[in-house]
Amino acid sequence: MRKEYDFSKGERGKFYRPDVKLNLPIYLDDEVITFIENIANKKDVDLSFVANQLLRSNMQLAEAIK
């Protein structure tokens, strides 16, 4: 790396897009992935679908508790 960089010709906000949605990766423990994979394989559905359904059911439980 250089000691200094010249940003005098830089343009602030050139690549900023306020409407962009970021999909951040989520890292699960091995046992959790195995659990979700088993359910997905039995139901013949996508892994993401099962994970979202499990999280949605937890969200509903949390709302019911409030």
Side-chain angles (χ1 to χ4, degrees):
M1 284 185 65
R2 298 180 193 164
K3 283 189 173 184
E4 289 187 23
Y5 289 88
D6 181 17
F7 293 104
S8 62
K9 296 181 184 176
E11 186 178 332
R12 183 180 293 271
K14 182 176 184 177
F15 299 105
Y16 175 71
R17 303 289 181 262
D19 55 343
V20 172
K21 179 182 173 188
L22 297 177
N23 290 320
L24 301 175
I26 297 175
Y27 302 101
L28 303 174
D29 293 337
D30 290 337
E31 62 189 45
V32 175
I33 292 174
T34 303
F35 177 77
I36 294 173
E37 282 176 341
N38 288 336
I39 295 172
N41 289 334
K42 287 178 185 176
K43 293 185 174 188
D44 196 30
V45 293
D46 187 42
L47 193 73
S48 296
F49 177 78
V50 175
N52 281 319
Q53 290 301 108
L54 289 169
L55 290 170
R56 281 191 184 100
S57 65
N58 278 348
M59 288 169 56
Q60 289 173 350
L61 286 172
E63 286 295 319
I65 292 172
K66 283 185 181 178

